[in-house]
């Protein structure tokens, strides 16, 4: 049986780390592409040479064109510019729209049955762009943000309560960015809602740190943005799809009336399986949560309107 094939477009920090985690978990052969001459080839060869040490046989190929990507099961799009200090995700809008539009055209015609996982910021708008440009069914275009945002929230909760991260589940809804909506009452430690374990003030502080999680790392790194946790989050989605796990994860998906939103990509709980988004889970939101989700969706809509998509 041949291994599944995953194309990762963009061999920068997130792309290369995604490729690394995929082969380390022996999930698929990987094709890494980038516009920079030699970069994807060099990183692919380096990763291949880690195989004997780690004990994986996955093939890793690097390329500057798209020929080698044909017939991919999943295409992960990380190509684009990352935030620099002081830059908002939205500043990236126009430049990355151009890049992502081109990448979608090149990859989808060579892999017409693939599932697209969009990572490039501003995430929700880029997912919507990929959906429109590809003409793929909504089940096969997914944005990665919620797994990362909830991983950040889980990290802070585990630190605060001094418990294993494995005990902590957390739900984050909405757009990726400052308007994301962490849901404390659906976030638990071994099944106990964190609202039972943390004061309102501490909870608010953790929620705030989560919403600011990306910027905190940009501020520290200065020359780029986070990539270990983002790549780990992408690979969680890749695994759920390739193994047909039906795993419920917060993902950016196309809504057609769910949560009262229509014609827009926003982060919601999704059941991920081999065909992509198998189901969008609807939960009842409290009025303040619904209002926050509405604000988050409005922020996304502003960007998609700017792009006319
Ligand atoms: O939660 C999330 N969705 C995110 C999103 C978490 C982390 C990073 N997020 C965004 O992903 C970030 O704001 C950027 O828009 C992307 C990629 O972030 P990364 O940190 O990997 O950026 P790099 O290291 O600059 O890598 C981008 C690569 C770089 O090597 C470029 O040469 C390449 O993209 N690039 C291209 N590759 C292929 N084709 C085209 N056209 C192209 N243009 C640039």
């Amino acid at each position: 049986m041949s291994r599944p094939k995953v194309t990762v477009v963009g061999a920068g920090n997130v792309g290369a780390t995604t490729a690394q985690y995929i082969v380390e978990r022996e999930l698929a052969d990987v094709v890494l592409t980038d516009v920079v001459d030699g970069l994807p080839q060099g990183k692919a060869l380096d990763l291949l040479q880690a195989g004997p040490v780690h004990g994986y046989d996955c093939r890793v190929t690097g390329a500057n064109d798209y020929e080698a990507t044909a017939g991919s099961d999943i295409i992960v799009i990380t190509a684009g510019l990352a935030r620099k200090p002081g830059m908002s995700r939205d500043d990236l809008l126009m430049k990355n729209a151009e890049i992502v539009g081109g990448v979608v055209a090149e990859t989808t015609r060579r892999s017409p049955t693939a599932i697209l996982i969009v990572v490039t910021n501003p995430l929700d708008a880029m997912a919507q762009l990929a959906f429109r440009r590809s003409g793929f069914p909504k089940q096969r275009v997914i944005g990665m943000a919620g797994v990362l945002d909830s991983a950040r929230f889980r990290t802070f909760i585990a630190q605060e309560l001094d418990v294993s991260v494995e005990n902590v589940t957390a739900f984050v809804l909405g757009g990726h960015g400052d308007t994301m909506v962490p849901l404390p009452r659906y976030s638990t430690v071994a099944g106990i809602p964190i609202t039972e374990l943390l004061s309102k003030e501490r909870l608010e502080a953790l929620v705030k740190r989560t919403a600011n999680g990306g910027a905190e790392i940009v501020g520290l790194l200065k020359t780029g943005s986070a990539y270990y946790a983002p790549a780990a989050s992408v690979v969680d989605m890749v695994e759920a799809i390739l193994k047909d796990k039906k795993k419920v994860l917060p993902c950016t998906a196309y809504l057609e009336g769910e949560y009262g939103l229509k014609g827009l990509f926003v982060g919601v709980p999704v059941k991920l399986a081999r065909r992509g988004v198998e189901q969008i889970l609807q939960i009842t939101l409290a009025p303040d949560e619904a209002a926050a989700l509405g604000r988050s969706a409005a922020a996304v809509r502003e960007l998609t309107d700017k792009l006319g998509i």
Side-chain angles (χ1 to χ4, degrees):
M1 205 183 85
S2 66
R3 243 173 256 118
K5 177 169 173 178
V6 175
T7 287
V8 180
V9 185
N13 282 335
V14 178
T17 311
T18 297
Q20 177 192 342
Y21 293 165
I22 288 174
V23 294
E24 283 180 359
R25 283 156 81 162
E26 291 202 288
L27 293 174
D29 290 334
V30 175
V31 178
L32 194 57
T33 73
D34 202 289
V35 284
V36 177
D37 180 38
L39 181 72
Q41 294 89 341
K43 290 195 179 180
L45 188 58
D46 196 5
L47 270 176
L48 203 60
Q49 293 166 355
V53 183
H54 275 292
Y56 56 73
D57 291 297
C58 295
R59 276 173 300 181
V60 194
T61 316
N64 295 122
D65 61 29
Y66 290 93
E67 291 318 312
T69 71
S72 292
D73 296 286
I74 296 178
I75 297 161
V76 179
I77 302 179
T78 77
L81 307 180
R83 276 199 293 173
K84 303 265 156 41
M87 224 175 147
S88 80
R89 290 185 177 90
D90 301 354
D91 293 336
L92 299 175
L93 180 70
M94 290 303 169
K95 188 67 205 147
N96 283 352
E98 200 184 306
I99 293 171
V100 169
V103 167
V104 167
E106 292 290 347
T107 51
T108 54
R109 75 187 168 88
R110 292 179 174 86
S111 301
T113 60
I115 291 170
L116 294 178
I117 299 179
V118 181
V119 181
T120 307
N121 272 324
L123 189 272
D124 311 84
M126 291 304 109
Q128 181 125 342
L129 179 79
F131 174 61
R132 300 275 187 236
R133 290 288 157 82
S134 64
F136 278 11
K138 63 178 180 178
Q139 289 80 2
R140 290 202 277 119
V141 184
I142 316 163
M144 187 291 290
V147 178
L148 171 64
D149 294 333
S150 77
R152 286 179 171 151
F153 198 23
R154 290 168 66 190
T155 306
F156 300 145
I157 294 166
Q159 267 185 348
E160 179 83 11
L161 294 171
D162 194 23
V163 297
S164 166
V165 290
E166 288 188 72
N167 280 145
V168 184
T169 62
F171 242 120
V172 181
L173 285 177
H176 183 47
D178 313 331
T179 60
M180 68 177 75
V181 187
L183 290 188
R185 68 193 179 94
Y186 284 118
S187 303
T188 68
V189 174
I192 307 163
I194 56 168
T195 45
E196 300 277 327
L197 303 170
L198 285 164
S199 70
K200 204 162 176 288
E201 293 69 41
R202 286 311 301 152
L203 237 170
E204 266 165 27
L206 300 189
V207 163
K208 201 166 163 210
R209 192 172 176 198
T210 301
N212 199 40
E216 182 178 359
I217 289 178
V218 171
L220 291 167
L221 292 179
K222 295 180 187 71
T223 54
S225 57
Y227 54 99
Y228 294 116
S233 304
V234 171
V235 175
D236 203 16
M237 292 168 65
V238 166
E239 183 175 43
I241 293 167
L242 292 179
K243 293 188 175 171
D244 196 26
K245 284 179 80 80
K246 300 180 190 289
K247 189 168 183 176
V248 177
L249 292 170
C251 297
T252 304
Y254 190 65
L255 302 186
E256 287 181 305
E258 298 90 350
Y259 292 94
L261 299 168
K262 221 176 177 145
L264 199 65
F265 270 80
V266 174
V268 289
V270 150
K271 192 194 285 179
L272 269 193
R274 189 60 190 87
R275 287 176 304 171
V277 174
E278 200 158 274
Q279 192 191 341
I280 291 170
L281 281 78
Q282 296 220 55
I283 53 175
T284 310
L285 298 180
D288 58 323
E289 294 163 351
L293 183 62
R295 280 194 298 276
S296 182
V300 176
R301 180 90 67 187
E302 217 175 283
L303 301 187
T304 57
D305 282 351
K306 265 184 215 159
L307 293 174
I309 50 168

